Amino acid sequence: MSTETASEATRLSEPIRIIVPVGSLGAGVREDEVAYGLSRGAQAIACDAGSTDSGAAYLATGKSKNNYGAVKRDLEILMKAQVEAGIPIIIGTSGQAGGDINLDWTRDIAVEVAKELGVEPRIALIRSEQDKDTVKRLNAQGRVKPLAPLGPLEDATVDECDHIVAVLGVEPFVDALEQGADIILAGRSTDTAVLAAFPIWKGAPWGAAWHAGKIGECGAQCAEERDGSGVLLSVSSDGFSVEPLSRTNRCTPHSVSAHMLYENSNPFRLVEPGGILDVTDAHYEQVDERTVRVSGARWDKQPYTMKLEGAGGGAFQTMMLVGIEDPDVLRDINGFHDRFLMALYQRTQQSIPAERLGEFHISLRMYGWNAVSGLRPPKGTAPPPEIGVLFVATAETQELANEIAQACNPYFFHFPAVMDKELPSYGFAFSPADVPRGQVFEFKLNHVVEVNDPMELVRMDWVDLGEASKTKLEVAHD
């Protein structure tokens, strides 16, 4: 495959400077940091607004993890800066998951802020949600390929999804910038593409732009301290520099280079739509107390693919929680877990007829022992002073999950570690003890789709508040 190098790109007379105000819109933009970035000559503001980190529910339901007030606050600061400096704002993975519902939610907040500020930006909405028929058609053409550990995609799996998105690269952002967008709100995007798009549009080398995007994707996480939110990226013809927007923070070669390990199985190669970022020969240099200069990245062009993410709802769950300090339990946590779980299964099967119970599952998660990993600690591990036991019942309906929890309730609070002793009472956290958790959501798709054009699966809408005001004025005059 061909490789793009600095010598093949336009030579830039000045660096392209981008404010990355925060790792995720709604996480807390700092007004003083944005002001510092503007004073340094920033030409764009770009940041991510979501991720799959928090699970499938946000795509399946169209909800945002960051709440309305937090997102509105951040947008107010950024949109004021945008008006002051006349530079574009670029937001990716709007509303946490980047589906159409998530994107429209973010759009409504931006429009509300614009009206309150008395400004009329031209807003591009880049949509990446896919309908099921399109995904099935592409799959039938052999253009959808699985990512490990999944196998070939079945139509039934597509039908299980509530929402499906294709992950955007830089090209749709560049297209929106070409058309004069003041604000870009995009659907599901790679974090890196959101930041790389503006310098690429301005003629920067793709290797440097993509590498800068990767380093800056989480804002100040590439800095030494966590006392700030954002960074300033300056992309030039032979690399880029990065500095924190907080003047009390600093970047170092170690803090910057280490970010290539973040959410990446290979710290030297990062797969993106249309290519691979290769930083094998990258060089990191401390140029002043707060700034690191980076050079040597390459962009290896590849056949264009976009990742497909699909999420849907499944079974329902009910939880209960107890805290235990009983020394008999703490002396043999593994054995207690196994006997406890067996008793709860037996109690459920005795209490609810099999024909009504259907397929169900009970788990006990021993917090303070092995709830996170699920792996049993090595023999001889000292017992903790207490454990928290989380009971989770999973069933086909919420009513059944509730009924299982209620059937297990007496055992869950009083099951003894030693059967010939008086019954213990464990410390329950809530009353009533059973807490309906609702539907379980999961990612159904982990695939890539081959596209003939980066815009093939993209739709773009516009909200032009200036044009809307002009139309209203003309109507009023008529």
PDB file of all heavy atoms in Angstrom, residues 168-181:
ATOM      1  N   LEU A 168     -16.884   6.966  11.619  1.00  0.00           N
ATOM      2  CA  LEU A 168     -16.391   7.911  10.625  1.00  0.00           C
ATOM      3  C   LEU A 168     -14.882   8.126  10.695  1.00  0.00           C
ATOM      4  O   LEU A 168     -14.292   8.126  11.776  1.00  0.00           O
ATOM      5  CB  LEU A 168     -17.067   9.274  10.830  1.00  0.00           C
ATOM      6  CG  LEU A 168     -18.593   9.319  10.763  1.00  0.00           C
ATOM      7  CD1 LEU A 168     -19.089  10.661  11.284  1.00  0.00           C
ATOM      8  CD2 LEU A 168     -19.072   9.082   9.344  1.00  0.00           C
ATOM      9  N   GLY A 169     -14.286   8.381   9.505  1.00  0.00           N
ATOM     10  CA  GLY A 169     -12.920   8.859   9.410  1.00  0.00           C
ATOM     11  C   GLY A 169     -12.897  10.366   9.214  1.00  0.00           C
ATOM     12  O   GLY A 169     -13.878  11.063   9.518  1.00  0.00           O
ATOM     13  N   VAL A 170     -11.813  10.899   8.645  1.00  0.00           N
ATOM     14  CA  VAL A 170     -11.671  12.355   8.532  1.00  0.00           C
ATOM     15  C   VAL A 170     -12.471  12.957   7.376  1.00  0.00           C
ATOM     16  O   VAL A 170     -12.846  14.137   7.425  1.00  0.00           O
ATOM     17  CB  VAL A 170     -10.189  12.766   8.363  1.00  0.00           C
ATOM     18  CG1 VAL A 170      -9.368  12.351   9.577  1.00  0.00           C
ATOM     19  CG2 VAL A 170      -9.586  12.200   7.088  1.00  0.00           C
ATOM     20  N   GLU A 171     -12.735  12.190   6.337  1.00  0.00           N
ATOM     21  CA  GLU A 171     -13.278  12.756   5.108  1.00  0.00           C
ATOM     22  C   GLU A 171     -14.605  13.500   5.275  1.00  0.00           C
ATOM     23  O   GLU A 171     -14.781  14.591   4.710  1.00  0.00           O
ATOM     24  CB  GLU A 171     -13.391  11.670   4.034  1.00  0.00           C
ATOM     25  CG  GLU A 171     -12.062  11.168   3.513  1.00  0.00           C
ATOM     26  CD  GLU A 171     -11.412  10.120   4.412  1.00  0.00           C
ATOM     27  OE1 GLU A 171     -12.007   9.774   5.464  1.00  0.00           O
ATOM     28  OE2 GLU A 171     -10.315   9.647   4.069  1.00  0.00           O
ATOM     29  N   PRO A 172     -15.580  12.976   6.032  1.00  0.00           N
ATOM     30  CA  PRO A 172     -16.831  13.733   6.205  1.00  0.00           C
ATOM     31  C   PRO A 172     -16.619  15.073   6.913  1.00  0.00           C
ATOM     32  O   PRO A 172     -17.298  16.060   6.604  1.00  0.00           O
ATOM     33  CB  PRO A 172     -17.700  12.786   7.039  1.00  0.00           C
ATOM     34  CG  PRO A 172     -17.157  11.418   6.743  1.00  0.00           C
ATOM     35  CD  PRO A 172     -15.686  11.620   6.601  1.00  0.00           C
ATOM     36  N   PHE A 173     -15.683  15.111   7.856  1.00  0.00           N
ATOM     37  CA  PHE A 173     -15.382  16.363   8.543  1.00  0.00           C
ATOM     38  C   PHE A 173     -14.775  17.370   7.569  1.00  0.00           C
ATOM     39  O   PHE A 173     -15.135  18.561   7.574  1.00  0.00           O
ATOM     40  CB  PHE A 173     -14.420  16.113   9.704  1.00  0.00           C
ATOM     41  CG  PHE A 173     -14.995  15.302  10.831  1.00  0.00           C
ATOM     42  CD1 PHE A 173     -14.772  13.937  10.913  1.00  0.00           C
ATOM     43  CD2 PHE A 173     -15.759  15.905  11.820  1.00  0.00           C
ATOM     44  CE1 PHE A 173     -15.293  13.184  11.943  1.00  0.00           C
ATOM     45  CE2 PHE A 173     -16.288  15.168  12.861  1.00  0.00           C
ATOM     46  CZ  PHE A 173     -16.063  13.803  12.931  1.00  0.00           C
ATOM     47  N   VAL A 174     -13.859  16.900   6.736  1.00  0.00           N
ATOM     48  CA  VAL A 174     -13.239  17.775   5.738  1.00  0.00           C
ATOM     49  C   VAL A 174     -14.301  18.323   4.786  1.00  0.00           C
ATOM     50  O   VAL A 174     -14.302  19.511   4.438  1.00  0.00           O
ATOM     51  CB  VAL A 174     -12.135  17.023   4.966  1.00  0.00           C
ATOM     52  CG1 VAL A 174     -11.642  17.839   3.769  1.00  0.00           C
ATOM     53  CG2 VAL A 174     -10.976  16.682   5.899  1.00  0.00           C
ATOM     54  N   ASP A 175     -15.237  17.468   4.386  1.00  0.00           N
ATOM     55  CA  ASP A 175     -16.308  17.894   3.485  1.00  0.00           C
ATOM     56  C   ASP A 175     -17.149  18.997   4.129  1.00  0.00           C
ATOM     57  O   ASP A 175     -17.509  19.995   3.485  1.00  0.00           O
ATOM     58  CB  ASP A 175     -17.177  16.689   3.124  1.00  0.00           C
ATOM     59  CG  ASP A 175     -18.205  17.018   2.045  1.00  0.00           C
ATOM     60  OD1 ASP A 175     -17.853  17.697   1.066  1.00  0.00           O
ATOM     61  OD2 ASP A 175     -19.355  16.589   2.188  1.00  0.00           O
ATOM     62  N   ALA A 176     -17.476  18.838   5.422  1.00  0.00           N
ATOM     63  CA  ALA A 176     -18.266  19.843   6.119  1.00  0.00           C
ATOM     64  C   ALA A 176     -17.500  21.158   6.254  1.00  0.00           C
ATOM     65  O   ALA A 176     -18.078  22.246   6.116  1.00  0.00           O
ATOM     66  CB  ALA A 176     -18.680  19.329   7.492  1.00  0.00           C
ATOM     67  N   LEU A 177     -16.207  21.077   6.493  1.00  0.00           N
ATOM     68  CA  LEU A 177     -15.383  22.285   6.572  1.00  0.00           C
ATOM     69  C   LEU A 177     -15.329  22.983   5.217  1.00  0.00           C
ATOM     70  O   LEU A 177     -15.408  24.218   5.132  1.00  0.00           O
ATOM     71  CB  LEU A 177     -13.974  21.922   7.049  1.00  0.00           C
ATOM     72  CG  LEU A 177     -13.860  21.505   8.522  1.00  0.00           C
ATOM     73  CD1 LEU A 177     -12.509  20.848   8.786  1.00  0.00           C
ATOM     74  CD2 LEU A 177     -14.062  22.700   9.447  1.00  0.00           C
ATOM     75  N   GLU A 178     -15.215  22.203   4.157  1.00  0.00           N
ATOM     76  CA  GLU A 178     -15.207  22.777   2.803  1.00  0.00           C
ATOM     77  C   GLU A 178     -16.498  23.545   2.520  1.00  0.00           C
ATOM     78  O   GLU A 178     -16.492  24.550   1.807  1.00  0.00           O
ATOM     79  CB  GLU A 178     -15.036  21.667   1.763  1.00  0.00           C
ATOM     80  CG  GLU A 178     -13.621  21.142   1.620  1.00  0.00           C
ATOM     81  CD  GLU A 178     -12.724  22.111   0.864  1.00  0.00           C
ATOM     82  OE1 GLU A 178     -13.252  23.043   0.220  1.00  0.00           O
ATOM     83  OE2 GLU A 178     -11.491  21.947   0.925  1.00  0.00           O
ATOM     84  N   GLN A 179     -17.596  23.076   3.093  1.00  0.00           N
ATOM     85  CA  GLN A 179     -18.894  23.716   2.853  1.00  0.00           C
ATOM     86  C   GLN A 179     -19.197  24.853   3.828  1.00  0.00           C
ATOM     87  O   GLN A 179     -20.296  25.380   3.851  1.00  0.00           O
ATOM     88  CB  GLN A 179     -20.001  22.664   2.901  1.00  0.00           C
ATOM     89  CG  GLN A 179     -19.916  21.617   1.809  1.00  0.00           C
ATOM     90  CD  GLN A 179     -21.116  20.696   1.810  1.00  0.00           C
ATOM     91  OE1 GLN A 179     -22.256  21.150   1.685  1.00  0.00           O
ATOM     92  NE2 GLN A 179     -20.886  19.394   1.953  1.00  0.00           N
ATOM     93  N   GLY A 180     -18.205  25.212   4.631  1.00  0.00           N
ATOM     94  CA  GLY A 180     -18.339  26.390   5.465  1.00  0.00           C
ATOM     95  C   GLY A 180     -19.017  26.201   6.798  1.00  0.00           C
ATOM     96  O   GLY A 180     -19.628  27.143   7.322  1.00  0.00           O
ATOM     97  N   ALA A 181     -18.893  25.023   7.393  1.00  0.00           N
ATOM     98  CA  ALA A 181     -19.518  24.789   8.699  1.00  0.00           C
ATOM     99  C   ALA A 181     -18.839  25.623   9.788  1.00  0.00           C
ATOM    100  O   ALA A 181     -17.615  25.674   9.871  1.00  0.00           O
ATOM    101  CB  ALA A 181     -19.433  23.305   9.061  1.00  0.00           C
TER     102      ALA A 181
END
